[in-house]
Amino acid sequence: SVGEAPVSGETITSLLCMDVYTPQHQQQKQASRSLCVVVGYSSGYLRIYSMYGHLLTTHRFHPQPLIRIRQRMPAQANSMHTAGEMRYATEDTEEVCLTYADGTVVSVDGRSLYLALRLCLSEALDGGAEEPVFQYKKWSFELNEPLVSDAVSYGPTAHRDPLAALAKSALTSSPLLSDATARFLVAPQHGDAAFGVFMTNEHAATSVSAVDIAGRMAARVTGAVLNMARSYFWRSSGAPSSGLDSVSVATGIEAGTTVPCAFAVRDSPRKVLDISLAPAAYGLAALTDSLGRILLFDLESCEAVQMLKGQRGSQCAWLESGEGP
């Protein structure tokens, strides 16, 4: 049990169990791993609880129901896949992807979120301690009707062969074949498109959010928070620490950066219902649809690899072994 919903009438719409590494303390002989329960609500709130049901942090990035919560690991973090060197259009980092009912996607930087949760779990915030912060980006899509069954981020463009990127950029300036800094699969509920691939070459503005600790809801952003954000995030990303040009402090619910549609698969009345990403190194996704089929989709070539029929009501997940997914 994770306790009662604090907002009247709201319901739980998504769940994710997440491991958080906790550094060694003086009272402990070794470091430990703590299980956190990430919960999304119909009110748009994201709340993270400890395995014992204690509220660690809460935030509202968007006022629509939060329908999916996912963790995405970059290909570099996958030690089982070693074939070929991967080059990315921009740095690919671990993220927690939040999908809202109107298609808005919030990508929370995994490293900064884990740091904030470690501080919460170790009870590092006492009396006059600084509030931890984490980094996120917010995206929206060009849809005729803002209502989706699923939407997921799968990171920047990756090339195994350095010459492949040069050839693609020489052939066209389209975001589909050139270096994309962010890519998404989106399954709209309305229209004739079963699903679409959305890509952008632009960099979204990065927001810094002060974490609300249970019992200590932060009502202001202090200079200490900004100093902590500068020292931590810009040291890790290599960006200059002489201003806040690319970082806006989240004082309200801001609009997302709009991502254009690179192409859409139109096959009425087929509608994709759920998207399951394989580990990033394999570049695959399994899509279940309204006709009881499962489509295996290659994320790099944007081609359908295989279709399984007669799979009504199915759910997809990926298991990885030493030989492959």
PDB file of all heavy atoms in Angstrom, residues 35-59:
ATOM      1  N   LEU A  35      14.148   0.045  -3.052  1.00  0.00           N
ATOM      2  CA  LEU A  35      13.078  -0.002  -4.033  1.00  0.00           C
ATOM      3  C   LEU A  35      12.153   1.186  -3.823  1.00  0.00           C
ATOM      4  O   LEU A  35      11.687   1.437  -2.711  1.00  0.00           O
ATOM      5  CB  LEU A  35      12.284  -1.306  -3.899  1.00  0.00           C
ATOM      6  CG  LEU A  35      11.118  -1.481  -4.869  1.00  0.00           C
ATOM      7  CD1 LEU A  35      11.645  -1.637  -6.294  1.00  0.00           C
ATOM      8  CD2 LEU A  35      10.278  -2.690  -4.478  1.00  0.00           C
ATOM      9  N   CYS A  36      11.907   1.929  -4.888  1.00  0.00           N
ATOM     10  CA  CYS A  36      10.969   3.046  -4.855  1.00  0.00           C
ATOM     11  C   CYS A  36       9.786   2.730  -5.766  1.00  0.00           C
ATOM     12  O   CYS A  36       9.950   2.085  -6.807  1.00  0.00           O
ATOM     13  CB  CYS A  36      11.631   4.340  -5.309  1.00  0.00           C
ATOM     14  SG  CYS A  36      12.895   4.963  -4.171  1.00  0.00           S
ATOM     15  N   VAL A  37       8.611   3.177  -5.370  1.00  0.00           N
ATOM     16  CA  VAL A  37       7.400   2.988  -6.171  1.00  0.00           C
ATOM     17  C   VAL A  37       7.010   4.343  -6.751  1.00  0.00           C
ATOM     18  O   VAL A  37       6.708   5.285  -6.006  1.00  0.00           O
ATOM     19  CB  VAL A  37       6.244   2.416  -5.326  1.00  0.00           C
ATOM     20  CG1 VAL A  37       5.011   2.198  -6.200  1.00  0.00           C
ATOM     21  CG2 VAL A  37       6.669   1.110  -4.665  1.00  0.00           C
ATOM     22  N   VAL A  38       7.044   4.448  -8.085  1.00  0.00           N
ATOM     23  CA  VAL A  38       6.711   5.688  -8.782  1.00  0.00           C
ATOM     24  C   VAL A  38       5.257   5.580  -9.236  1.00  0.00           C
ATOM     25  O   VAL A  38       4.895   4.648  -9.950  1.00  0.00           O
ATOM     26  CB  VAL A  38       7.638   5.912  -9.985  1.00  0.00           C
ATOM     27  CG1 VAL A  38       7.397   7.288 -10.588  1.00  0.00           C
ATOM     28  CG2 VAL A  38       9.097   5.755  -9.569  1.00  0.00           C
ATOM     29  N   VAL A  39       4.426   6.523  -8.823  1.00  0.00           N
ATOM     30  CA  VAL A  39       2.983   6.444  -9.058  1.00  0.00           C
ATOM     31  C   VAL A  39       2.516   7.675  -9.817  1.00  0.00           C
ATOM     32  O   VAL A  39       2.835   8.813  -9.447  1.00  0.00           O
ATOM     33  CB  VAL A  39       2.207   6.336  -7.723  1.00  0.00           C
ATOM     34  CG1 VAL A  39       0.720   6.080  -7.988  1.00  0.00           C
ATOM     35  CG2 VAL A  39       2.793   5.231  -6.842  1.00  0.00           C
ATOM     36  N   GLY A  40       1.746   7.446 -10.895  1.00  0.00           N
ATOM     37  CA  GLY A  40       1.130   8.526 -11.647  1.00  0.00           C
ATOM     38  C   GLY A  40      -0.362   8.579 -11.363  1.00  0.00           C
ATOM     39  O   GLY A  40      -1.002   7.535 -11.176  1.00  0.00           O
ATOM     40  N   TYR A  41      -0.933   9.776 -11.354  1.00  0.00           N
ATOM     41  CA  TYR A  41      -2.335   9.960 -10.984  1.00  0.00           C
ATOM     42  C   TYR A  41      -3.115  10.647 -12.099  1.00  0.00           C
ATOM     43  O   TYR A  41      -2.545  11.314 -12.970  1.00  0.00           O
ATOM     44  CB  TYR A  41      -2.435  10.787  -9.702  1.00  0.00           C
ATOM     45  CG  TYR A  41      -1.942  10.071  -8.467  1.00  0.00           C
ATOM     46  CD1 TYR A  41      -0.597  10.092  -8.123  1.00  0.00           C
ATOM     47  CD2 TYR A  41      -2.817   9.362  -7.645  1.00  0.00           C
ATOM     48  CE1 TYR A  41      -0.134   9.435  -6.991  1.00  0.00           C
ATOM     49  CE2 TYR A  41      -2.359   8.711  -6.509  1.00  0.00           C
ATOM     50  CZ  TYR A  41      -1.019   8.745  -6.196  1.00  0.00           C
ATOM     51  OH  TYR A  41      -0.562   8.088  -5.077  1.00  0.00           O
ATOM     52  N   SER A  42      -4.439  10.498 -12.028  1.00  0.00           N
ATOM     53  CA  SER A  42      -5.329  11.132 -13.005  1.00  0.00           C
ATOM     54  C   SER A  42      -5.277  12.652 -12.926  1.00  0.00           C
ATOM     55  O   SER A  42      -5.635  13.345 -13.872  1.00  0.00           O
ATOM     56  CB  SER A  42      -6.767  10.650 -12.790  1.00  0.00           C
ATOM     57  OG  SER A  42      -7.196  10.923 -11.455  1.00  0.00           O
ATOM     58  N   SER A  43      -4.825  13.194 -11.812  1.00  0.00           N
ATOM     59  CA  SER A  43      -4.692  14.642 -11.637  1.00  0.00           C
ATOM     60  C   SER A  43      -3.424  15.188 -12.286  1.00  0.00           C
ATOM     61  O   SER A  43      -3.241  16.402 -12.346  1.00  0.00           O
ATOM     62  CB  SER A  43      -4.670  14.985 -10.148  1.00  0.00           C
ATOM     63  OG  SER A  43      -3.578  14.338  -9.507  1.00  0.00           O
ATOM     64  N   GLY A  44      -2.561  14.301 -12.778  1.00  0.00           N
ATOM     65  CA  GLY A  44      -1.288  14.724 -13.351  1.00  0.00           C
ATOM     66  C   GLY A  44      -0.130  14.673 -12.379  1.00  0.00           C
ATOM     67  O   GLY A  44       1.027  14.844 -12.779  1.00  0.00           O
ATOM     68  N   TYR A  45      -0.400  14.399 -11.102  1.00  0.00           N
ATOM     69  CA  TYR A  45       0.669  14.352 -10.110  1.00  0.00           C
ATOM     70  C   TYR A  45       1.526  13.101 -10.271  1.00  0.00           C
ATOM     71  O   TYR A  45       1.025  12.023 -10.597  1.00  0.00           O
ATOM     72  CB  TYR A  45       0.094  14.387  -8.693  1.00  0.00           C
ATOM     73  CG  TYR A  45      -0.125  15.782  -8.172  1.00  0.00           C
ATOM     74  CD1 TYR A  45      -1.399  16.358  -8.194  1.00  0.00           C
ATOM     75  CD2 TYR A  45       0.933  16.540  -7.674  1.00  0.00           C
ATOM     76  CE1 TYR A  45      -1.607  17.647  -7.725  1.00  0.00           C
ATOM     77  CE2 TYR A  45       0.735  17.819  -7.196  1.00  0.00           C
ATOM     78  CZ  TYR A  45      -0.534  18.374  -7.224  1.00  0.00           C
ATOM     79  OH  TYR A  45      -0.732  19.647  -6.765  1.00  0.00           O
ATOM     80  N   LEU A  46       2.814  13.285 -10.041  1.00  0.00           N
ATOM     81  CA  LEU A  46       3.768  12.182  -9.928  1.00  0.00           C
ATOM     82  C   LEU A  46       4.227  12.139  -8.483  1.00  0.00           C
ATOM     83  O   LEU A  46       4.687  13.151  -7.937  1.00  0.00           O
ATOM     84  CB  LEU A  46       4.973  12.415 -10.845  1.00  0.00           C
ATOM     85  CG  LEU A  46       6.132  11.423 -10.680  1.00  0.00           C
ATOM     86  CD1 LEU A  46       5.794  10.099 -11.367  1.00  0.00           C
ATOM     87  CD2 LEU A  46       7.420  12.000 -11.260  1.00  0.00           C
ATOM     88  N   ARG A  47       4.066  10.966  -7.840  1.00  0.00           N
ATOM     89  CA  ARG A  47       4.516  10.817  -6.459  1.00  0.00           C
ATOM     90  C   ARG A  47       5.395   9.575  -6.365  1.00  0.00           C
ATOM     91  O   ARG A  47       5.093   8.543  -6.962  1.00  0.00           O
ATOM     92  CB  ARG A  47       3.325  10.715  -5.504  1.00  0.00           C
ATOM     93  CG  ARG A  47       2.445  11.954  -5.513  1.00  0.00           C
ATOM     94  CD  ARG A  47       1.369  11.911  -4.449  1.00  0.00           C
ATOM     95  NE  ARG A  47       0.577  13.132  -4.481  1.00  0.00           N
ATOM     96  CZ  ARG A  47      -0.577  13.269  -5.132  1.00  0.00           C
ATOM     97  NH1 ARG A  47      -1.082  12.227  -5.787  1.00  0.00           N
ATOM     98  NH2 ARG A  47      -1.232  14.409  -5.127  1.00  0.00           N
ATOM     99  N   ILE A  48       6.458   9.692  -5.608  1.00  0.00           N
ATOM    100  CA  ILE A  48       7.393   8.582  -5.436  1.00  0.00           C
ATOM    101  C   ILE A  48       7.428   8.202  -3.963  1.00  0.00           C
ATOM    102  O   ILE A  48       7.629   9.063  -3.092  1.00  0.00           O
ATOM    103  CB  ILE A  48       8.802   8.961  -5.929  1.00  0.00           C
ATOM    104  CG1 ILE A  48       8.744   9.413  -7.397  1.00  0.00           C
ATOM    105  CG2 ILE A  48       9.745   7.772  -5.799  1.00  0.00           C
ATOM    106  CD1 ILE A  48      10.088   9.813  -7.973  1.00  0.00           C
ATOM    107  N   TYR A  49       7.201   6.916  -3.712  1.00  0.00           N
ATOM    108  CA  TYR A  49       7.137   6.389  -2.352  1.00  0.00           C
ATOM    109  C   TYR A  49       8.286   5.412  -2.112  1.00  0.00           C
ATOM    110  O   TYR A  49       8.790   4.781  -3.045  1.00  0.00           O
ATOM    111  CB  TYR A  49       5.813   5.649  -2.129  1.00  0.00           C
ATOM    112  CG  TYR A  49       4.577   6.496  -2.270  1.00  0.00           C
ATOM    113  CD1 TYR A  49       4.003   6.711  -3.516  1.00  0.00           C
ATOM    114  CD2 TYR A  49       3.966   7.072  -1.156  1.00  0.00           C
ATOM    115  CE1 TYR A  49       2.854   7.485  -3.653  1.00  0.00           C
ATOM    116  CE2 TYR A  49       2.812   7.843  -1.290  1.00  0.00           C
ATOM    117  CZ  TYR A  49       2.270   8.042  -2.545  1.00  0.00           C
ATOM    118  OH  TYR A  49       1.129   8.799  -2.672  1.00  0.00           O
ATOM    119  N   SER A  50       8.648   5.277  -0.858  1.00  0.00           N
ATOM    120  CA  SER A  50       9.584   4.219  -0.483  1.00  0.00           C
ATOM    121  C   SER A  50       8.847   2.890  -0.475  1.00  0.00           C
ATOM    122  O   SER A  50       7.613   2.848  -0.565  1.00  0.00           O
ATOM    123  CB  SER A  50      10.176   4.492   0.900  1.00  0.00           C
ATOM    124  OG  SER A  50       9.180   4.275   1.911  1.00  0.00           O
ATOM    125  N   MET A  51       9.586   1.790  -0.352  1.00  0.00           N
ATOM    126  CA  MET A  51       8.943   0.476  -0.350  1.00  0.00           C
ATOM    127  C   MET A  51       8.059   0.276   0.881  1.00  0.00           C
ATOM    128  O   MET A  51       7.246  -0.651   0.927  1.00  0.00           O
ATOM    129  CB  MET A  51      10.005  -0.615  -0.411  1.00  0.00           C
ATOM    130  CG  MET A  51      10.961  -0.638   0.769  1.00  0.00           C
ATOM    131  SD  MET A  51      12.247  -1.897   0.582  1.00  0.00           S
ATOM    132  CE  MET A  51      11.265  -3.381   0.531  1.00  0.00           C
ATOM    133  N   TYR A  52       8.196   1.163   1.871  1.00  0.00           N
ATOM    134  CA  TYR A  52       7.381   1.070   3.076  1.00  0.00           C
ATOM    135  C   TYR A  52       6.173   2.007   3.030  1.00  0.00           C
ATOM    136  O   TYR A  52       5.448   2.143   4.009  1.00  0.00           O
ATOM    137  CB  TYR A  52       8.231   1.375   4.305  1.00  0.00           C
ATOM    138  CG  TYR A  52       9.426   0.471   4.430  1.00  0.00           C
ATOM    139  CD1 TYR A  52      10.703   0.946   4.156  1.00  0.00           C
ATOM    140  CD2 TYR A  52       9.282  -0.874   4.785  1.00  0.00           C
ATOM    141  CE1 TYR A  52      11.811   0.115   4.248  1.00  0.00           C
ATOM    142  CE2 TYR A  52      10.382  -1.712   4.876  1.00  0.00           C
ATOM    143  CZ  TYR A  52      11.638  -1.212   4.610  1.00  0.00           C
ATOM    144  OH  TYR A  52      12.730  -2.030   4.683  1.00  0.00           O
ATOM    145  N   GLY A  53       5.965   2.681   1.897  1.00  0.00           N
ATOM    146  CA  GLY A  53       4.802   3.541   1.741  1.00  0.00           C
ATOM    147  C   GLY A  53       4.993   4.975   2.181  1.00  0.00           C
ATOM    148  O   GLY A  53       4.028   5.724   2.248  1.00  0.00           O
ATOM    149  N   HIS A  54       6.246   5.386   2.459  1.00  0.00           N
ATOM    150  CA  HIS A  54       6.507   6.764   2.864  1.00  0.00           C
ATOM    151  C   HIS A  54       6.674   7.636   1.620  1.00  0.00           C
ATOM    152  O   HIS A  54       7.433   7.292   0.713  1.00  0.00           O
ATOM    153  CB  HIS A  54       7.773   6.846   3.724  1.00  0.00           C
ATOM    154  CG  HIS A  54       7.687   6.037   4.972  1.00  0.00           C
ATOM    155  ND1 HIS A  54       8.737   5.271   5.448  1.00  0.00           N
ATOM    156  CD2 HIS A  54       6.659   5.840   5.842  1.00  0.00           C
ATOM    157  CE1 HIS A  54       8.367   4.649   6.555  1.00  0.00           C
ATOM    158  NE2 HIS A  54       7.111   4.984   6.807  1.00  0.00           N
ATOM    159  N   LEU A  55       5.977   8.757   1.584  1.00  0.00           N
ATOM    160  CA  LEU A  55       6.062   9.666   0.450  1.00  0.00           C
ATOM    161  C   LEU A  55       7.415  10.371   0.446  1.00  0.00           C
ATOM    162  O   LEU A  55       7.785  11.044   1.413  1.00  0.00           O
ATOM    163  CB  LEU A  55       4.933  10.703   0.523  1.00  0.00           C
ATOM    164  CG  LEU A  55       4.883  11.730  -0.601  1.00  0.00           C
ATOM    165  CD1 LEU A  55       4.716  11.059  -1.955  1.00  0.00           C
ATOM    166  CD2 LEU A  55       3.755  12.731  -0.353  1.00  0.00           C
ATOM    167  N   LEU A  56       8.162  10.225  -0.653  1.00  0.00           N
ATOM    168  CA  LEU A  56       9.487  10.825  -0.762  1.00  0.00           C
ATOM    169  C   LEU A  56       9.451  12.156  -1.494  1.00  0.00           C
ATOM    170  O   LEU A  56      10.126  13.107  -1.108  1.00  0.00           O
ATOM    171  CB  LEU A  56      10.439   9.869  -1.495  1.00  0.00           C
ATOM    172  CG  LEU A  56      10.658   8.503  -0.848  1.00  0.00           C
ATOM    173  CD1 LEU A  56      11.554   7.639  -1.732  1.00  0.00           C
ATOM    174  CD2 LEU A  56      11.263   8.650   0.539  1.00  0.00           C
ATOM    175  N   THR A  57       8.701  12.233  -2.584  1.00  0.00           N
ATOM    176  CA  THR A  57       8.660  13.447  -3.375  1.00  0.00           C
ATOM    177  C   THR A  57       7.390  13.468  -4.211  1.00  0.00           C
ATOM    178  O   THR A  57       6.818  12.418  -4.521  1.00  0.00           O
ATOM    179  CB  THR A  57       9.894  13.567  -4.296  1.00  0.00           C
ATOM    180  OG1 THR A  57       9.765  14.744  -5.097  1.00  0.00           O
ATOM    181  CG2 THR A  57      10.022  12.369  -5.210  1.00  0.00           C
ATOM    182  N   THR A  58       6.952  14.650  -4.561  1.00  0.00           N
ATOM    183  CA  THR A  58       5.771  14.803  -5.412  1.00  0.00           C
ATOM    184  C   THR A  58       5.968  15.988  -6.336  1.00  0.00           C
ATOM    185  O   THR A  58       6.620  16.971  -5.977  1.00  0.00           O
ATOM    186  CB  THR A  58       4.498  14.998  -4.561  1.00  0.00           C
ATOM    187  OG1 THR A  58       3.365  15.129  -5.420  1.00  0.00           O
ATOM    188  CG2 THR A  58       4.599  16.246  -3.695  1.00  0.00           C
ATOM    189  N   HIS A  59       5.436  15.874  -7.560  1.00  0.00           N
ATOM    190  CA  HIS A  59       5.549  16.974  -8.510  1.00  0.00           C
ATOM    191  C   HIS A  59       4.437  16.854  -9.540  1.00  0.00           C
ATOM    192  O   HIS A  59       3.955  15.757  -9.833  1.00  0.00           O
ATOM    193  CB  HIS A  59       6.900  16.973  -9.221  1.00  0.00           C
ATOM    194  CG  HIS A  59       7.225  18.292  -9.849  1.00  0.00           C
ATOM    195  ND1 HIS A  59       7.856  19.300  -9.161  1.00  0.00           N
ATOM    196  CD2 HIS A  59       6.979  18.776 -11.081  1.00  0.00           C
ATOM    197  CE1 HIS A  59       7.997  20.352  -9.962  1.00  0.00           C
ATOM    198  NE2 HIS A  59       7.468  20.052 -11.142  1.00  0.00           N
TER     199      HIS A  59
END
